[in-house]
Amino acid sequence: GAARASTRLQTVPSALSTTEPLSERDAVTGYNNFYEFGTDKADPARNAHKMEVRPWTVRVEGLVGKPRRFDIDELLRLAPLEERIYRLRCVEGWSMVVPWVGFPLAALLKEVEPLGSAKYVEFVTHYDPKIMIRDVLDWPYTEGLRLDEALHPLTLLAVGVYGEALPKQNGAPLRLVVPWKYGFKSAKSIVTIRLTEKEPATAWNKFAPQEYGFYSNVNPEVRHPRWSQATERRIGELRKRPTQMFNGYAEQVASLYQGMDLKKFY
Ligand code: MTE
């Protein structure tokens, strides 16, 4: 038979990768949160095929010197694609080790020249009521970072996973990955990136402000009001592991929060 066209992405390895064993590909691509396609973990893999991811435009706007629209294929050539193996800790208490493919968000922000007045970055994701659910959250899903968090070298715009383009259920064609924060900060299928002066509203914070704060840093010492965050279960394992401060990335990111009360800014 004809050889299958290779869909491998060209990548360079990253010094920022963890050396822990990867989670199973089937778990990463089959056990998902992408509520627009349903609230069951298997729903996104079943339903996300309805989403068209080409053509796809990402607008970068707000407090920038050079607002621009980028075609997704332009974005794929913006910077060398890296393979970044990161721990992902979900607020629900499970974790995975995922080999993302992407480039630093900082490389994109540099292109648009943030103004001195820009303090935050808002992410708005794709919403199409014809193929996505209408209830649960106030759509479109939005997320936000402080500008210094957005510019941190660990903050990744992912376009692939396991060496290939992102499956739709993982947020094709472009999703955020912020490894020291709970997984819900990693907005999927991004269409707008907006630099702002004020802290942007976020979908989960609007839904339950006392449960989901703006920062959402992984923190074993700050409980979710309904459960402890001190331990986690790595998908594929039975025993529980202790959750690490900033998901194990404290050395790289703790300085961003110096002097802040992380119980108050959860
Ligand atoms: N992005 C959008 N647009 N909609 C969502 O429901 N869920 C978040 C985040 N990004 C979500 C989203 C949550 S709760 C998690 S844990 C991660 O995506 C899951 O990413 P994964 O399915 O690729 O592991």
Side-chain angles (χ1 to χ4, degrees):
R4 175 168 165 258
S6 171
T7 55
R8 300 297 296 179
L9 296 165
Q10 286 280 343
T11 62
V12 294
S14 169
L16 297 168
S17 288
T18 168
T19 54
E20 289 161 284
L22 302 182
S23 296
E24 294 285 343
R25 192 182 195 286
D26 285 354
V28 174
T29 63
Y31 185 85
N32 302 102
N33 280 331
F34 197 163
Y35 275 27
E36 290 88 330
F37 291 110
T39 55
D40 189 90
K41 300 290 181 230
D43 284 341
R46 256 197 308 257
N47 299 327
H49 67 90
K50 296 173 194 154
M51 177 171 65
E52 297 284 352
V53 299
R54 288 290 188 291
W56 190 279
T57 308
V58 180
R59 312 160 64 102
V60 189
E61 59 183 41
L63 301 174
V64 297
K66 294 184 171 166
R68 257 191 75 179
R69 305 161 67 112
F70 293 86
D71 181 77
I72 186 64
D73 293 310
E74 240 182 297
L75 280 181
L76 282 162
R77 292 187 301 266
L78 191 80
L81 293 182
E82 296 174 31
E83 178 164 81
R84 292 265 189 106
I85 303 170
Y86 280 166
R87 286 180 291 278
L88 177 117
R89 168 64 157 83
C90 184
V91 74
E92 294 162 340
W94 46 267
S95 63
M96 296 194 198
V97 178
V98 183
W100 302 110
V101 175
F103 57 91
L105 172 61
L108 173 57
L109 293 178
K110 202 177 80 186
E111 294 285 317
V112 298
E113 300 178 5
L115 300 178
S117 52
K119 296 285 181 287
Y120 294 91
V121 184
E122 180 182 19
F123 303 86
V124 184
T125 80
H126 179 61
Y127 180 64
D128 178 355
K130 291 194 290 297
I131 58 166
M132 291 168 166
I133 67 172
R134 289 163 189 271
D135 51 356
V136 188
L137 293 179
D138 181 11
W139 311 109
Y141 193 97
T142 63
E143 257 305 338
L145 295 173
R146 220 168 54 190
L147 183 59
D148 58 344
E149 298 175 322
L151 292 172
H152 192 280
L154 281 171
T155 302
L156 194 72
L157 278 176
V159 296
V161 71
Y162 281 96
E164 299 188 347
L166 280 175
K168 293 176 180 179
Q169 61 269 30
N170 291 98
L174 184 76
R175 60 89 58 83
L176 186 65
V177 183
V178 194
W180 71 94
K181 293 178 182 278
Y182 292 115
F184 68 87
K185 296 298 280 184
S186 297
K188 293 178 169 181
S189 305
I190 294 168
V191 291
T192 303
I193 298 176
R194 187 178 296 128
L195 284 87
T196 65
E197 192 169 354
K198 290 208 182 92
E199 189 182 282
T202 68
W204 283 104
N205 180 256
K206 280 194 275 182
F207 176 75
Q210 63 300 336
E211 298 189 16
Y212 309 106
F214 176 77
Y215 283 92
S216 299
N217 291 316
V218 173
N219 189 339
E221 291 158 27
V222 175
R223 345 175 353 105
H224 182 279
R226 292 182 281 130
W227 59 81
S228 161
Q229 294 289 20
T231 62
E232 66 198 59
R233 200 175 66 80
R234 188 69 51 86
I235 295 287
E237 296 179 352
L238 292 174
R239 70 189 171 93
K240 290 209 169 175
R241 303 169 168 251
T243 286
Q244 295 173 269
M245 189 63 199
F246 297 114
N247 201 24
Y249 298 96
E251 209 176 299
Q252 292 101 312
V253 303
S255 63
L256 294 172
Y257 309 102
Q258 226 154 30
M260 281 175 69
D261 178 354
L262 297 180
K263 291 201 161 70
K264 187 166 163 218
F265 297 101
Y266 58 93

